[in-house]
């Protein structure tokens, strides 16, 4: 085999992409390289094929050359990155030249001349190595450039810290006004930089932490102004100094948290970010119990008992709280006991099945699995109810702001005794709210919401004492307008956090109740009522749910497979993608029904969901027909054949939905039949998605070719010069290609090279 123009390289391709702008910049490059790698290796190459490959290869080479020019300019302006950036640019240019050489097939029409040279046709391994090198080196350039954005944030933070230190030491109003003006400008710059970074982050946990830190800085800026003015007006007042010191300390902590996020530094406070919540524990426990249906030996009985003990122990945060009412405490304790009993029964069945060397769980174990999962779901529901109801009750009571009003009035009257009395009331309210935030964190359902709960807890914990110190200052100086203004600012921050907490409770409820997208909506009066009246609503008992548990699990796996295939599409806004995603989501909702969970509570709800699913399936058929118009011969025939299968299955659901059934047995059989048909629909969709994706990429690449780095930025809807941004940093896009697809391409290149 001819030698590779690229040679061997040890360049690191295991780079982690942390921002959306970097992965969006890589999308067109990956698309073009994929076209070159995946071309059909036919004995005879048409002139059209040769011209297309030559055009794509030359376009990649030209674009890489311009891209490298930008990277080299960045290296020249940033000495600390010069060596690494120059090496990455050198590797990218070398790979681009190699690709240009390997795809230089358009000028040699006779096949003999083509075969005599090293080309993409004669040396596929060389093309794969060049593609690997190009992807890794371009990614390296982008990641290095992204460090400049991080450097800008750190530099901006350092300027804010220096000015903050000056503000803390000022002794005159005139000096304070001058420095605070500078501080305000620096905070605006820092807010813009961190806001852009927050939107660009891919990790939702980091985004939530960044949002919390930025919220603290925003609110503390106004607190810092009034607290500092109060301290300057009353320099000998101890409560005013305590009030001001607390604001400065909190701002420094928030600034440090921002830097920890952007630099991924670890601190001793990281363990507080995501405490182990009951929701996560229950989710993991249920998942492992359900996996026993597939593998009896995936877990040990001892581990299951230990994990359940840990879960029950965490519920003590609810049962030991003095603010939990007697009825809720007894309900939680009763459900914990029931969960233990059901788990014990499952353990016995499990041990017997293992002793008998069973490959699948017997019927009694299936029932025990279902009952264990149901009991743990009931426990989660009761804990959610306890946390949310307590939060709602407290929001109603605290919404009247009685202690705050009393503190303002007592402070304005100079009544220190009354301030002390109402401070105790506010402290008790603060403790209640802090504990409620902890309980909400247990049932929040997502990691970003957990972080928001922690932020709310910390905010109440800090602002409560600050309000008290501000009220004490006003009581000592009742005629001071600035002291009165300062107390107002802190009270407004408390009220603002109560509003944020109300929003947080609604979001936690939404997560608990499930996805509320339109296609999951249940029947409303006057809509779809005719069909629903033909069947009496029935709830499945434990035995019936056990019988369809395996069917439901298969439905879940299929919907998950469909979601995985959807993620591989470049164009996430394509009709085929959106409609397939709808089908997968509705199928997942039907799976939840088999477990007694989710939005579908009765068989009537289930049949309505199946009817909506069939309508969406027919819409998908229409989109597929439109897509097939551009296809030819065998490709078109294959797609049309699958469309016919999909139409037939959707029609079966529609016909079945209009057929009334009488009796519980017939209703159960109808549910079973609908699950089978839905499985068939997802199976067809699952086979169509990768095939259509392949064709979509093929025809898209033939219609367009890669231009230059400017074209990349235009696809991201941004015209900001790269040098000014310093990071080749485009704006966020909605394209779903992402790093996952990039990793898949890198893996496929590795596989091809190994062959």
């Amino acid at each position: 085999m001819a030698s590779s123009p690229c040679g061997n390289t040890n360049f690191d391709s295991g780079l982690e992409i942390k921002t959306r702008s970097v992965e969006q910049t890589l999308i067109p490059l990956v698309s073009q390289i994929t076209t070159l790698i995946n071309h059909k290796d036919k004995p005879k190459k048409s002139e059209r094929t040769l011209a297309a490959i030559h055009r794509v290869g030359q376009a990649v080479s030209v674009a890489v050359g311009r891209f490298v020019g930008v990277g080299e300019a960045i290296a020249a302006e940033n000495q600390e990155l010069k060596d690494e950036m120059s090496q990455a640019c050198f590797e990218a240019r070398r790979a681009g030249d190699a690709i240009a050489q390997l795809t230089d097939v358009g000028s040699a029409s006779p096949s003999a001349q083509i075969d005599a040279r090293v080309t993409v046709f004669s040396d596929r391994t060389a093309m794969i190595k060049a593609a690997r090198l190009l992807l890794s080196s371009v990614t390296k350039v982008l990641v290095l450039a992204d460090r400049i954005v991080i450097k800008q944030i750190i530099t901006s933070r350092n300027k804010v810290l220096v000015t903050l230190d000056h503000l803390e030491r000022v002794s005159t109003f005139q000096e304070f006004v001058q420095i605070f003006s500078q501080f305000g400008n620096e905070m605006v710059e820092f807010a813009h930089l961190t806001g852009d970074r927050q939107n660009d982050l891919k990790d939702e946990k980091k985004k939530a932490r960044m949002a919390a830190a930025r919220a603290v800085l925003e609110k503390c800026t106004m607190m810092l102004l009034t607290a500092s003015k109060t301290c300057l007006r009353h320099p000998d007042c101890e409560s005013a100094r305590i009030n001001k010191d607390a604001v400065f300390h909190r701002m420094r902590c928030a600034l440090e948290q921002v830097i920890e996020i952007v630099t991924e530094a670890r601190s001793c406070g990281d363990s507080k970010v995501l405490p182990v919540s009951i929701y996560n524990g229950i989710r993991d426990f249920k998942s492992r119990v359900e996996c026993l249906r597939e593998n009896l030996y995936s877990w040990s009985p001892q581990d299951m008992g230990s994990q359940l003990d840990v879960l029950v122990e965490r519920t003590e945060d609810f049962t030991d709280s003095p603010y939990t009412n007697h009825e809720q405490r007894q309900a939680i304790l009763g459900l914990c006991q029931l969960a233990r009993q059901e788990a014990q029964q499952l353990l016995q069945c499990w041990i017997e099945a293992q002793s008998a060397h069973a490959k699948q769980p017997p019927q009694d174990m299936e029932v025990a699995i279902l009952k264990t999962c149901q009991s743990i779901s009931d426990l989660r529901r009761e804990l959610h109810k306890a946390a949310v109801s307590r939060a709602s009750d407290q929001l109603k009571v605290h919404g009247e702001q009685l202690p705050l009003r009393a503190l303002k009035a007592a402070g304005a009257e100079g009544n220190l005794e009354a301030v002390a009395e109402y401070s105790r009331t506010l402290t008790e309210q603060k403790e209640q709210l802090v504990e409620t935030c902890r309980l909400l964190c247990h049932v929040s359902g997502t990691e970003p919401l957990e972080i928001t709960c922690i932020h709310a807890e910390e905010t109440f914990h800090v602002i409560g004492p600050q309000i008290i110190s501000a009220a004490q200052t006003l009581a000592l100086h009742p005629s001071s307008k600035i002291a009165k203004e300062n107390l107002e600012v802190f009270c407004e921050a408390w009220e603002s956090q109560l509003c944020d907490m109300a929003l947080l409770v609604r979001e936690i409820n939404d997560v608990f109740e499930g996805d509320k997208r339109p296609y999951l909506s249940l029947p409303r009066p006057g809509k779809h009522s005719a069909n629903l009246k033909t069947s009496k609503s029935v709830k499945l008992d434990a035995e019936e749910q056990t019988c369809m548990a395996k069917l439901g699990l298969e439905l879940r796996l299929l919907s998950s497979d469909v979601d995985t295939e959807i993620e591989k599409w470049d164009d996430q806004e394509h009709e085929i993608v959106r409609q397939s995603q709808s089908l997968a989501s509705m199928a997942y909702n039907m799976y939840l029904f088999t477990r007694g969970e989710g939005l579908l509570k009765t068989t009537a709800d289930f049949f309505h969901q199946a009817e909506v699913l069939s309508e969406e399936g027919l819409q998908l058929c229409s989109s597929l027909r439109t897509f097939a118009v551009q296809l030819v011969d065998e490709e078109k025939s294959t797609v049309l054949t699958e469309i016919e299968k999909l139409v037939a299955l959707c029609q079966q659901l529609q016909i079945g939905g209009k057929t009334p059934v009488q009796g519980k047995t017939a209703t159960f059989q109808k549910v079973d039949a609908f699950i089978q048909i839905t499985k068939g629909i997802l199976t067809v969709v699952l086979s169509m998605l990768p095939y259509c994706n392949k064709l979509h990429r093929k025809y898209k690449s033939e219609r367009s070719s890669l231009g230059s780095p400017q074209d990349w930025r235009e696809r991201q809807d941004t015209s900001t010069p790269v040098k000014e941004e310093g990071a080749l940093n485009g704006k966020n896009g909605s394209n779903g290609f992402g790093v996952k697809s990039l990793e898949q391409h890198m893996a496929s290149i590795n596989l091809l090279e190994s062959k």
Side-chain angles (χ1 to χ4, degrees):
M1 182 175 290
S3 63
S4 164
C6 231
N8 295 327
T9 178
N10 294 321
F11 195 86
D12 175 29
S13 60
L15 297 167
E16 182 184 359
I17 299 173
K18 301 178 178 65
T19 58
R20 300 183 188 278
S21 56
V22 170
E23 72 177 39
Q24 290 294 311
T25 305
L26 287 169
I27 289 171
L29 177 62
V30 173
S31 177
Q32 296 298 324
I33 290 178
T34 302
T35 300
L36 296 175
I37 293 295
N38 293 339
H39 76 276
K40 292 183 178 180
D41 194 8
K42 296 180 179 180
K44 293 185 178 181
K45 295 90 178 175
S46 67
E47 291 184 6
R48 180 182 177 187
T49 300
L50 294 174
I53 290 177
H54 177 73
R55 184 174 64 250
V56 172
Q58 297 305 308
V60 169
S61 179
V62 171
V64 168
R66 296 176 180 174
F67 177 88
V68 166
V70 176
E72 290 171 341
I74 292 174
E77 295 172 2
N78 298 270
Q79 290 299 315
E80 70 276 15
L81 297 178
K82 185 174 182 179
D83 292 341
E84 287 184 274
M85 182 71 83
S86 298
Q87 176 66 17
C89 289
F90 171 77
E91 299 287 1
R93 191 185 298 277
R94 187 156 66 99
D97 292 343
I99 288 176
Q101 179 182 338
L102 289 164
T103 56
D104 186 16
V105 294
S107 59
S109 13
S111 58
Q113 294 182 30
I114 297 174
D115 294 336
R117 297 202 317 270
V118 177
T119 68
V120 66
F121 300 112
S122 63
D123 193 352
R124 190 177 182 85
T125 301
M127 173 57 73
I128 293 168
K129 286 185 177 181
R132 287 187 63 207
L133 180 60
L134 182 59
L135 283 175
S136 61
S137 57
V138 169
T139 304
K140 180 76 170 180
V141 170
L142 291 169
V143 171
L144 286 172
D146 188 58
R147 290 186 194 172
I148 298 171
V149 177
I150 297 174
K151 179 184 174 183
Q152 289 173 344
I153 294 174
I154 294 173
T155 302
S156 178
R157 188 282 307 256
N158 291 341
K159 288 196 298 184
V160 170
L161 277 178
V162 170
T163 310
L164 200 62
D165 290 340
H166 291 164
L167 273 177
E168 197 170 18
R169 295 195 298 267
V170 298
S171 56
T172 66
F173 272 101
Q174 183 178 4
E175 185 182 7
F176 174 81
V177 170
Q178 292 175 348
I179 297 178
F180 189 83
S181 176
Q182 177 187 344
F183 175 76
N185 293 331
E186 292 171 353
M187 282 298 296
V188 168
E189 177 192 2
F190 188 72
H192 281 306
L193 289 171
T194 54
D196 291 342
R197 188 67 178 181
Q198 177 185 323
N199 293 331
D200 201 22
L201 287 171
K202 292 168 64 259
D203 189 311
E204 293 299 325
K205 292 182 290 184
K206 291 178 182 176
K207 289 180 74 169
R209 290 186 63 204
M210 181 74 86
R214 294 180 70 245
V216 170
L217 293 171
E218 180 184 354
K219 293 179 180 178
C220 280
T221 300
M222 180 55 69
M223 297 177 189
L224 185 144
L225 174 63
T226 58
S228 297
K229 287 167 63 179
T230 303
C231 209
L232 286 170
R233 181 63 56 86
H234 310 289
D236 299 326
C237 182
E238 180 67 13
S239 58
R241 184 191 61 77
I242 292 173
N243 183 263
K244 186 190 83 166
D245 288 348
V247 176
F248 276 87
H249 175 72
R250 196 166 186 226
M251 286 201 76
R252 288 191 176 97
C253 289
L255 289 166
E256 187 61 31
Q257 180 172 329
V258 169
I259 299 306
E260 287 175 10
I261 296 166
V262 299
T263 61
E264 298 193 320
R266 296 289 182 265
S267 73
C268 57
D270 259 10
S271 58
K272 296 174 62 178
V273 174
L274 284 180
V276 180
S277 69
I278 293 177
Y279 174 87
N280 289 331
I282 287 177
R283 181 177 58 187
D284 182 58
F285 181 82
K286 284 184 63 178
S287 175
R288 299 182 77 176
V289 168
E290 289 173 341
C291 283
L292 293 175
R293 292 191 174 106
E294 301 300 316
N295 184 357
L296 289 174
Y297 306 94
S298 61
W299 201 17
S300 73
Q302 293 77 17
D303 287 345
M304 188 187 81
S306 300
Q307 188 168 348
L308 182 60
D309 289 341
V310 172
L311 271 180
V312 172
E313 184 178 348
R314 288 178 194 152
T315 63
E316 293 175 0
D317 287 349
F318 289 79
T319 56
D320 290 353
S321 170
Y323 307 113
T324 300
N325 63 49
H326 178 71
E327 291 77 12
Q328 287 179 336
R329 182 178 291 107
Q330 291 303 115
I332 293 170
L333 291 172
L335 287 169
C336 287
Q337 183 62 29
L338 177 61
R340 288 186 185 275
Q341 292 173 359
E342 300 295 357
Q344 186 61 39
Q345 181 63 35
L346 173 58
L347 280 172
Q348 293 176 4
C349 298
W350 187 6
I351 293 172
E352 290 174 3
Q354 286 186 336
S355 300
H357 303 290
K359 294 184 178 180
Q360 291 184 337
Q363 185 68 20
D364 59 343
M365 185 174 172
E366 285 280 4
V367 174
I369 289 173
L370 183 66
K371 289 184 176 180
T372 301
C373 291
Q374 186 61 50
S375 65
I376 209 73
S377 294
D378 291 342
L379 175 59
R380 179 202 165 198
R381 187 176 295 108
E382 188 62 36
L383 294 172
H384 174 86
K385 177 182 174 183
V388 169
S389 62
R390 182 195 295 187
S392 300
D393 291 343
Q394 289 183 356
L395 287 169
K396 290 178 184 176
V397 172
H398 302 333
E400 299 175 3
Q401 312 295 339
L402 296 180
L404 298 185
R405 294 178 188 173
L407 276 172
K408 292 176 188 177
E413 294 169 359
N415 190 338
L416 285 170
E417 291 184 1
V419 166
E421 179 183 348
Y422 293 124
S423 293
R424 287 190 290 271
T425 303
L426 182 65
T427 299
E428 183 179 352
Q429 285 192 359
K430 178 212 57 172
E431 291 172 353
Q432 292 177 6
L433 289 167
V434 164
E435 184 173 295
T436 299
C437 289
R438 291 175 186 163
L439 300 188
L440 288 173
C441 184
H442 271 305
V443 301
S444 54
T446 69
E447 289 178 327
L449 285 179
E450 286 180 31
I451 292 169
T452 306
C453 289
I454 294 169
H455 168 66
E457 175 189 341
E458 292 174 347
T459 300
F460 285 124
H461 184 76
V462 172
I463 292 183
Q466 288 179 313
I467 292 175
I468 292 171
S469 61
Q472 290 170 343
T473 302
L474 179 59
L476 291 170
H477 308 279
S479 61
S480 173
K481 292 183 179 180
I482 184 57
K484 183 177 181 181
E485 180 188 356
N486 187 46
L487 178 57
E488 284 286 352
V489 167
F490 282 97
C491 289
E492 287 173 4
W494 178 275
E495 294 166 7
S496 173
Q497 189 56 52
L498 285 174
C499 293
D500 291 344
M501 184 175 175
L503 177 61
L504 175 61
V505 171
R506 287 198 295 271
E507 290 176 339
I508 291 173
N509 258 330
D510 288 345
V511 171
F512 179 78
E513 293 171 3
D515 196 346
K516 290 189 172 182
R517 281 177 283 186
Y519 53 76
L520 294 179
S521 62
L522 297 181
R524 296 185 292 274
K527 183 175 182 182
H528 302 295
S529 57
N531 290 343
L532 292 175
K533 289 180 179 178
T534 61
S535 299
K536 183 180 179 180
S537 296
V538 177
K539 285 191 175 182
L540 303 181
D541 59 29
E543 293 289 339
E544 291 165 337
Q545 287 183 355
T546 302
C547 292
M548 65 173 60
K550 287 189 176 181
L551 280 177
L553 185 59
E554 292 169 6
L555 202 58
R556 175 192 177 188
L557 294 174
L558 279 170
S559 65
S560 178
D561 289 341
V562 170
D563 286 333
T564 300
E565 287 299 328
I566 286 171
E567 290 177 0
K568 297 177 183 178
W569 279 65
D570 297 4
D571 184 6
Q572 290 288 298
E573 296 303 314
H574 199 287
E575 286 295 317
I576 293 175
V577 171
R578 292 194 301 103
Q579 289 159 353
S580 298
Q581 198 167 38
S582 296
L583 290 174
S585 298
M586 286 186 274
Y588 182 78
N589 212 35
M590 294 166 74
Y591 151 73
L592 290 178
F593 173 79
T594 67
R595 297 174 52 185
E597 299 177 2
L599 296 174
L600 310 179
K601 304 301 182 184
T602 68
T603 51
D605 299 336
F606 178 87
F607 296 145
H608 168 65
Q609 183 72 97
E611 180 183 354
V612 177
L613 185 144
S614 68
E615 293 171 356
E616 189 73 10
L618 292 174
Q619 289 293 324
L620 176 59
C621 292
S622 176
S623 298
L624 287 170
R625 285 196 182 95
T626 303
F627 177 78
V629 171
Q630 64 182 319
L631 308 181
V632 294
D633 303 330
E634 184 180 347
E635 296 172 348
K636 187 171 186 178
S637 175
T638 301
V639 172
L640 292 177
T641 300
E642 295 301 312
I643 290 174
E644 291 176 2
K645 295 179 185 177
L646 193 56
V647 169
L649 290 166
C650 292
Q651 288 175 345
Q652 286 182 43
L653 276 185
Q654 291 190 327
I655 293 171
K658 296 175 182 177
T659 304
V661 292
Q662 298 294 332
K664 193 171 184 180
T665 301
T667 302
F668 173 74
Q669 291 173 347
K670 184 175 178 179
V671 171
D672 180 82
F674 273 31
I675 291 177
Q676 294 283 11
I677 296 171
T678 304
K679 282 173 53 185
I681 290 174
L682 290 189
T683 301
V684 174
V685 172
L686 190 58
S687 68
M688 289 289 291
L689 280 171
Y691 188 69
C692 291
N693 189 17
K694 177 184 175 183
L695 296 176
H696 178 62
R697 288 180 178 176
K698 171 186 172 182
Y699 285 94
K700 185 178 180 181
S701 66
E702 289 181 358
R703 289 194 300 267
S704 63
S705 61
L706 183 65
S708 65
Q710 178 63 31
D711 296 324
W712 301 357
R713 293 193 296 275
E714 287 173 356
R715 294 187 190 191
Q716 299 173 71
D717 299 324
T718 176
S719 58
T720 306
V722 176
K723 281 183 63 177
E724 291 180 9
E725 289 296 322
L728 307 179
N729 197 9
K731 293 184 179 179
N732 295 332
S734 60
N735 195 305
F737 192 96
V739 176
K740 186 175 292 185
S741 294
L742 175 60
E743 291 171 345
Q744 289 166 352
H745 285 299
M746 294 294 283
S748 66
I749 293 171
N750 281 322
L751 179 62
L752 286 170
E753 185 187 33
S754 66
K755 293 182 178 179

